[in-house]
Amino acid sequence: MVNSVDSDILSSTKKKHLNPDENWGLVEESEYFANKVKLYRQDKLNADEFRRFRLQNGAYGSRLNSEFSMIRIKVPGGDISPEQMEKIANLSETFSIGSAHVSTRQNIQLHWVQLEDVSEVVRGLAEGGLTSREACGNTIRNVMCSHFAGVCSNEPFDVTVHAKAIAKFFLRNPMCQNLPRKFKFNFACCSEHGFVRIADVGLVPAIRDGIRGFRIYLGGGLGAASFIGHLLEEFTPESRLLSTSMSTIRLYDRLGNRENLARNRMRYLVNEMGWEKFQALLLKERVIVEATMSIPTKNTFDGILNIDTNANSNSTISSKRKLPLINSDNAQTPYNRWLNTNVVAQKQPGYYGVYITLGAGDITSNQLRVLAECVREFSLEQKARTTPQQNFFIRYIKSDSIPKVFAKLSSIGLGNPGANTIASAVGCSGTTSCNLAITNSHRLAKEIQSKFLELNFDMDPDFRTSTIKISGCPNSCGQHEVATIGFYGGAGRIANSMAPIYTMLFAGSTGETGELGKTIMRVPAKRVIDVVLKIIECYRGEKNGNESLHDWICKISTGHGNGKVQTIDDLKKTLVPITELPSFAESPDSYKDYGADSNFVAKTARGECAA
Amino acid sequence: MRCLSDLTQTKNKNGIKSDNKLKKNIIKKEKKMMSPATLDLVCDVDTLRTLIKKNKVRVVDVRKKDEYLKGHIPTSVSLPLSDLLSDDSPESIIKIMNNLGIADNTPVVVYDDTFGALASRVAWSFKFIGHTNVSLLEVTYSGWKNMGLEIEKKSNKFPKSSHSIDIDYSIYADAEYVENARNDKNKVIIDSRERLNFLTEHIPNSKNIPYTMIRSEDAILRNPSELKRFMENRGIDSNSEIITYCGSVGTLSGLVFFALKTAGISNVKLYPKSFKEWKSLGKPKIEFKDATYWDLSAE
């Protein structure tokens, strides 16, 4: 019995995830990069041209120091093998800072790499089947995919293969090497798990009349101005996935704004043109694409996709189910605490997924190696996933292995509880490496995590669905607009002193019905934790029955509170005193940012996303 | 250099006049047949085992004394790095070498259990006082042990020797030398510390080649072709003069010294007192405070 389940899963795993063609790297790109660096250093290549080339190959300039780069390693679909983790561990130790960083877009980033060493990292990545190609620049960025794809109780089918087929088809594809700006795909597994409304193309799998397909949302995205994506049509069959994607890219490539750097994402085009007009143009474009698409092109994609026509009939799921968390008994051992928040049951009976909660996505090389061992030893699919919450997720673990997994993880500091709770705060890299950052969002996320774990917030079921997400500037890499409580960094003057100040947002959400958060108020960096604690205190005094923090915040955000705090303004009255700082002379530390000894100065340089 | 001139002498003794190719062949042959052996900068495991069997090498263990007593490579003598550093004047180094029974022509192989950094510092010191025939074992003690190779516990002692002294200043730099080199285009100063330490503060105009960059998974140094490529990428010419330094006593930079030598760069110097002395002398340094990079570390 057990054997047959194992072999079933293994065979499907082999088919879908261990494809020998799954190699994203190209070793020759290493030498090419090295040569370009030499030309640039010899002034034979101008800075703008070189920047464009560098970004196309995944090397982003480091904060206020052009000698160094951040290398963004694409993890298509978030799917990564233990060998690749070990490769990244070695590369980080050799050329970077000995830690790697999981981004909110499921990439893994190596920071502060000497520009002249980037080619060696590219070489090492290619050896491990990985690439940083088109991870930055004006092209198709890492294709995201829900980390539950394949194990989610509510999914009609596993979209991992589609996400990877799209990634493979467009990688190095001449049609998307010079778009007006970056372009992002996001695949959900179900209507709940995904960031489909804040992507250029967001896809939710669906089955209609026995045919697999998607609900496709277009023109969403977060940034200085954010938009929620529009539904293209009720149902797009799988057979039109490629043509729809190609037409969208073609239309954007043709009509997108190439002049104004601040308004050249596709969402602005959609917004300026109006959705109906864009939609009509797109559907027309698709007719042309379908009529003219060459057979080799179509075959290439279908070959990558390798559509499994005998999709198992696991597809019709009548009622919506939550991925059940394992509830441990009340004994509060570290193991039980972890079990409570970090282990979820898969749709495959007897198998579990385990979260590895990191601090703002950071993991040391040694930890990565232990994680790789863990995957090899305990995961039937022999892979892990990166998550948009900056964590890792290991799936296909049998229940009797879970204690061993915990022992192994906690032996190296990877056994933190609190995944998917308010304690697991998201923070972009902020001033630790980004040119655009104004504040140290990265450290703030870590501070919140350790403080909230210390306060046992992970153990409170009321906080389970709530999220805190922090960006170091308004550009939303920390996805602050889709958090229960979001923050983005800025600078402000208080009396005569500059201070790092965050703008707080409420009631953002992800999924197919995702909404953008509303701006609430400004909070000095050193008061963010106190303000969140005060919000929690108010919530605890006000909540009705089992109402979660997230639900309560959504309720008061629309002015529907039913206690003493009915509206945002009511809550603000309580919060404002906390945001007031003593004078600089009394408390200079209140005016400094996290991780900085010196007084705060807002320093930024040109953002390279737009280059 | 010394090595080469020794060999030239041998050649002359044999009265051979020939073209370069022939010379090379002869040198190779002599390496094999004659005693003592002339060691490469890095000594592989097989070579060391052979030399140990033939009793033609002095193996130096630079770990702490108690670790040595628990087990060591056969025939090795103990020289904890701290003993050498407590007084690393040439007179003291000579005394130490004489006590270990190292004569002018004794081939020496040094090992540690700290990825080669401690061994490098000792090997460099021997070179500094004029003992060129010294080599780093390609693996650490753990590496040796993990391969299941022979170890022993008895302490080894050899008759005292009388080593000559011929200081090689061409591999040495002091603070003043480094300060003058800072603005010399033909000299490259290399900081061997990890990236985050380098970003925090470093000697102006120095470049960062962290010690983590030059080692491989199973050996203390990468193969020479890789090291060469790394240096080429960095635009470091094999004819450049290079000065390496690290945090305090020249261990990490000692390892990088040997890596650069292996990569075919002949003119490499070590600044053994390194950044600790540089700072204490109040010399200028570059600090990079525009980013909070330490917060990226998951340590």
Side-chain angles (χ1 to χ4, degrees):
Chain A
M1 197 48 200
V2 170
N3 277 340
S4 75
V5 170
D6 281 2
S7 64
D8 273 3
I9 290 164
L10 272 177
S11 64
S12 76
T13 301
K14 262 183 195 150
K15 221 175 326 177
K16 286 173 186 163
H17 304 305
L18 300 181
N19 184 345
D21 294 337
E22 210 173 272
N23 177 15
W24 310 94
L26 262 189
V27 177
E28 47 269 44
E29 284 176 346
S30 162
E31 214 169 300
Y32 200 49
F33 198 101
N35 286 335
K36 289 276 187 187
V37 172
K38 277 174 205 155
L39 291 176
Y40 168 63
R41 290 298 195 205
Q42 293 160 3
D43 282 332
K44 289 177 186 159
L45 186 64
N46 76 47
D48 280 345
E49 239 174 285
F50 177 67
R51 185 193 298 112
R52 219 191 85 73
F53 168 80
R54 168 165 61 72
L55 291 166
Q56 202 79 348
N57 287 278
Y60 194 101
S62 293
R63 180 173 171 81
L64 299 163
N65 196 331
S66 55
E67 285 293 298
F68 297 93
S69 294
M70 177 271 281
I71 301 179
R72 185 175 283 153
I73 303 161
K74 274 180 155 175
V75 186
D79 201 25
I80 187 166
S81 72
E83 294 71 30
Q84 292 173 333
M85 289 173 169
E86 283 163 346
K87 187 48 120 177
I88 293 173
N90 290 346
L91 290 172
S92 170
E93 222 163 46
T94 307
F95 299 107
S96 174
I97 60 165
S99 287
H101 168 70
V102 179
S103 84
T104 55
R105 294 204 71 260
Q106 295 180 297
N107 299 289
I108 297 181
Q109 300 180 165
L110 299 181
H111 289 280
W112 298 100
V113 176
Q114 175 82 36
L115 180 61
E116 280 80 356
D117 297 342
V118 172
S119 59
E120 289 302 321
V121 176
V122 170
R123 177 190 300 269
L125 291 175
E127 284 165 5
L130 290 162
T131 191
S132 56
R133 169 89 191 202
E134 293 158 45
C136 310
N138 297 330
T139 177
I140 312 290
R141 303 294 188 88
N142 191 37
V143 174
M144 291 181 71
C145 177
S146 164
H147 50 282
F148 292 123
V151 305
C152 173
S153 325
N154 299 316
E155 68 177 26
F157 56 90
D158 183 356
V159 297
T160 309
V161 65
H162 301 84
K164 288 191 178 174
I166 286 288
K168 192 97 192 177
F169 184 84
F170 288 112
L171 180 67
R172 304 187 182 89
N173 189 322
M175 76 173 286
C176 49
Q177 294 305 299
N178 188 23
L179 297 175
R181 189 84 150 81
K182 58 188 166 179
F183 196 85
K184 299 173 177 178
F185 277 91
N186 188 296
F187 282 84
C189 55
C190 66
S191 61
E192 188 187 350
H193 303 124
F195 291 65
V196 291
R197 299 299 292 276
I198 54 163
D200 291 289
V201 183
L203 305 99
V204 184
I207 289 190
R208 209 170 67 175
D209 304 331
I211 295 173
R212 303 205 292 194
F214 300 91
R215 287 189 295 280
I216 299 184
Y217 294 89
L218 299 174
L222 301 182
S226 303
F227 296 97
I228 287 285
H230 303 266
L231 181 64
L232 173 66
E233 57 199 349
E234 281 307 308
F235 181 79
T236 308
E238 190 182 44
S239 57
R240 303 187 98 169
L241 172 61
L242 179 62
S243 59
T244 311
S245 304
M246 281 175 73
S247 345
T248 311
I249 292 163
R250 276 169 52 139
L251 197 59
Y252 171 52
D253 189 35
R254 206 156 64 229
L255 302 178
N257 187 333
R258 287 180 190 269
E259 303 299 318
N260 183 352
L261 282 181
R263 300 187 72 78
N264 51 11
R265 290 291 301 273
M266 191 176 83
R267 62 177 184 270
Y268 294 105
L269 175 67
V270 171
N271 184 55
E272 280 155 20
M273 182 183 277
W275 168 245
E276 282 75 22
K277 194 173 170 197
F278 183 88
Q279 184 186 32
L281 280 175
L282 180 59
L283 294 175
K284 211 184 269 177
E285 185 77 13
R286 188 168 67 182
V287 173
I288 298 166
V289 166
E290 284 175 351
T292 56
M293 192 190 293
S294 71
I295 291 167
T297 300
K298 189 161 169 28
N299 287 349
T300 301
F301 184 73
D302 290 349
I304 301 168
L305 191 56
N306 190 17
I307 296 169
D308 181 3
T309 42
N310 302 319
N312 71 41
S313 53
N314 199 356
S315 48
T316 40
I317 286 153
S318 45
S319 65
K320 211 176 148 188
R321 288 194 294 147
K322 284 241 171 225
L323 284 171
L325 287 163
I326 296 196
N327 282 304
S328 54
D329 54 54
N330 288 330
Q332 288 169 8
T333 62
Y335 173 67
N336 281 335
R337 196 171 157 182
W338 173 83
L339 198 61
N340 250 316
T341 51
N342 286 41
V343 182
V344 291
Q346 297 180 190
K347 71 176 174 190
Q348 294 80 0
Y351 288 94
Y352 298 86
V354 165
Y355 280 100
I356 289 82
T357 21
L358 306 175
D362 293 337
I363 184 163
T364 66
S365 292
N366 284 333
Q367 287 175 330
L368 261 175
R369 292 187 187 109
V370 172
L371 196 58
E373 276 173 30
C374 229
V375 172
R376 270 199 206 102
E377 227 171 295
F378 301 112
S379 164
L380 196 63
E381 68 175 350
Q382 295 284 297
K383 287 279 194 106
R385 301 257 179 153
T386 49
T387 83
Q389 292 79 26
Q390 302 178 310
N391 296 325
F392 280 97
F393 189 56
I394 309 181
R395 316 156 352 142
Y396 285 103
I397 294 173
K398 287 186 185 171
S399 57
D400 55 355
S401 299
I402 296 173
K404 289 178 229 159
V405 172
F406 177 72
K408 184 139 202 164
L409 292 174
S410 50
S411 73
I412 192 145
L414 289 175
N416 270 330
N420 295 328
T421 74
I422 197 167
S424 189
V426 164
C428 67
S429 55
T431 53
T432 64
S433 84
C434 177
N435 261 333
L436 290 167
I438 304 164
T439 58
N440 191 348
S441 45
H442 198 72
R443 172 72 174 268
L444 179 56
K446 289 183 176 184
E447 294 285 335
I448 290 177
Q449 183 193 33
S450 53
K451 180 75 184 172
F452 287 10
L453 287 179
E454 186 189 306
L455 294 169
N456 299 334
F457 281 1
D458 57 298
M459 289 158 71
D460 192 331
D462 291 343
F463 301 149
R464 211 161 250 175
T465 50
S466 303
T467 53
I468 292 182
K469 296 177 193 283
I470 309 165
S471 305
C473 79
N475 288 307
S476 299
C477 294
Q479 301 178 334
H480 57 268
E481 284 170 292
V482 292
T484 307
I485 307 176
F487 294 93
Y488 72 86
R493 194 173 288 280
I494 300 174
N496 282 321
S497 306
M498 291 300 286
I501 295 182
Y502 284 92
T503 299
M504 180 166 70
L505 296 91
F506 274 1
S509 58
T510 56
E512 202 171 356
T513 54
E515 284 182 46
L516 299 177
K518 296 173 184 63
T519 302
I520 303 300
M521 64 194 294
R522 282 156 65 84
V523 184
K526 290 284 173 74
R527 292 298 164 85
V528 164
I529 292 178
D530 294 334
V531 162
V532 177
L533 291 176
K534 190 73 187 173
I535 294 167
I536 286 169
E537 189 190 310
C538 289
Y539 154 73
R540 281 179 161 156
E542 296 272 319
K543 73 164 193 164
N544 287 330
N546 287 331
E547 187 179 39
S548 70
L549 174 66
H550 182 81
D551 290 344
W552 181 76
I553 285 184
C554 291
K555 193 172 76 177
I556 62 157
S557 294
T558 51
H560 289 89
N562 44 13
K564 274 183 255 169
V565 180
Q566 297 196 347
T567 64
I568 292 294
D569 285 339
D570 296 341
L571 184 63
K572 270 160 94 171
K573 274 176 213 152
T574 327
L575 301 179
V576 164
I578 302 170
T579 65
E580 283 162 6
L581 296 183
S583 73
F584 183 82
E586 275 174 277
S587 173
D589 201 48
S590 304
Y591 291 77
K592 288 175 185 162
D593 199 355
Y594 282 104
D597 304 326
S598 43
N599 291 336
F600 177 74
V601 192
K603 260 193 197 171
T604 57
R606 179 179 169 181
E608 292 206 324
C609 282
Chain B
M1 291 315 272
R2 174 175 290 264
C3 217
L4 262 179
S5 67
D6 284 353
L7 289 165
T8 316
Q9 274 172 18
T10 320
K11 179 196 73 184
N12 287 343
K13 260 183 239 164
N14 291 340
I16 293 169
K17 282 185 214 161
S18 55
D19 60 26
N20 280 339
K21 210 173 174 186
L22 195 56
K23 268 184 214 165
K24 257 187 201 164
N25 284 339
I26 289 159
I27 290 167
K28 238 187 208 169
K29 236 184 189 172
E30 283 168 355
K31 249 193 200 178
K32 272 188 193 163
M33 292 166 58
M34 291 189 58
S35 172
T38 305
L39 296 169
D40 291 332
L41 288 163
V42 178
C43 178
D44 63 77
V45 167
D46 289 342
T47 304
L48 179 60
R49 291 179 73 204
T50 310
L51 290 172
I52 292 172
K53 270 183 207 143
K54 291 184 178 167
N55 202 15
K56 283 182 175 165
V57 65
R58 182 73 67 249
V59 189
V60 179
D61 180 322
V62 303
R63 297 173 302 152
K64 288 186 181 128
K65 190 83 188 182
D66 56 333
E67 285 165 350
Y68 172 82
L69 291 172
K70 277 185 219 154
H72 48 258
I73 293 177
T75 75
S76 61
V77 291
S78 171
L79 169 58
L81 177 67
S82 55
D83 286 8
L84 183 131
L85 292 180
S86 65
D87 176 3
D88 69 345
S89 63
E91 299 71 26
S92 165
I93 295 169
I94 285 289
K95 213 169 134 192
I96 288 170
M97 292 176 78
N98 286 338
N99 284 336
L100 298 177
I102 298 171
D104 283 17
N105 58 0
T106 314
V108 176
V109 174
V110 193
Y111 72 90
D112 64 18
D113 213 3
T114 316
F115 53 85
L118 310 192
S120 300
R121 179 63 171 84
V122 170
W124 177 86
S125 300
F126 289 0
K127 274 189 180 299
F128 178 57
I129 58 93
H131 190 93
T132 52
N133 201 4
V134 58
S135 175
L136 302 173
L137 179 58
E138 66 171 343
V139 295
T140 60
Y141 179 69
S142 298
W144 176 277
K145 224 174 131 184
N146 291 342
M147 281 186 258
L149 301 177
E150 50 285 288
I151 52 171
E152 64 176 21
K153 287 188 177 172
K154 72 176 177 71
S155 292
N156 295 303
K157 191 131 180 72
F158 295 91
K160 270 196 174 187
S161 58
S162 173
H163 202 291
S164 63
I165 184 161
D166 180 9
I167 297 174
D168 183 2
Y169 284 108
S170 75
I171 62 167
Y172 171 82
D174 59 12
E176 197 190 334
Y177 190 89
V178 175
E179 184 147 31
N180 291 328
R182 279 202 293 127
N183 299 314
D184 187 332
K185 272 184 192 160
N186 300 316
K187 294 176 183 173
V188 185
I189 305 169
I190 300 282
D191 185 318
S192 317
R193 298 170 303 153
E194 289 180 32
R195 181 64 34 84
L196 293 179
N197 296 105
F198 173 80
L199 288 172
T200 306
E201 48 181 13
H202 58 257
I203 295 176
N205 293 343
S206 61
K207 302 278 176 206
N208 187 210
I209 296 184
Y211 68 94
T212 52
M213 214 173 123
I214 52 155
R215 58 184 179 170
S216 77
E217 274 166 71
D218 42 17
I220 59 165
L221 293 179
R222 287 176 185 274
N223 68 52
S225 66
E226 259 184 316
L227 291 170
K228 265 185 200 150
R229 199 178 66 230
F230 287 9
M231 297 312 140
E232 272 170 33
N233 290 339
R234 289 293 192 97
I236 295 173
D237 189 271
S238 60
N239 296 319
S240 320
E241 175 182 323
I242 299 189
I243 306 159
T244 67
Y245 77 91
C246 54
S248 59
V249 293
T251 47
L252 305 179
S253 48
L255 188 60
V256 172
F257 170 91
F258 280 94
L260 294 170
K261 285 280 202 188
T262 311
I265 298 168
S266 51
N267 191 359
V268 189
K269 292 177 165 54
L270 175 71
Y271 172 28
K273 302 268 184 221
S274 281
F275 200 50
K276 192 176 173 188
E277 183 199 64
W278 183 266
K279 280 201 291 188
S280 74
L281 294 172
K283 301 271 184 199
K285 55 182 186 177
I286 297 287
E287 294 174 86
F288 180 55
K289 292 181 167 180
D290 284 338
T292 49
Y293 36 84
W294 281 98
D295 290 329
L296 275 169
S297 172
E299 289 288 351

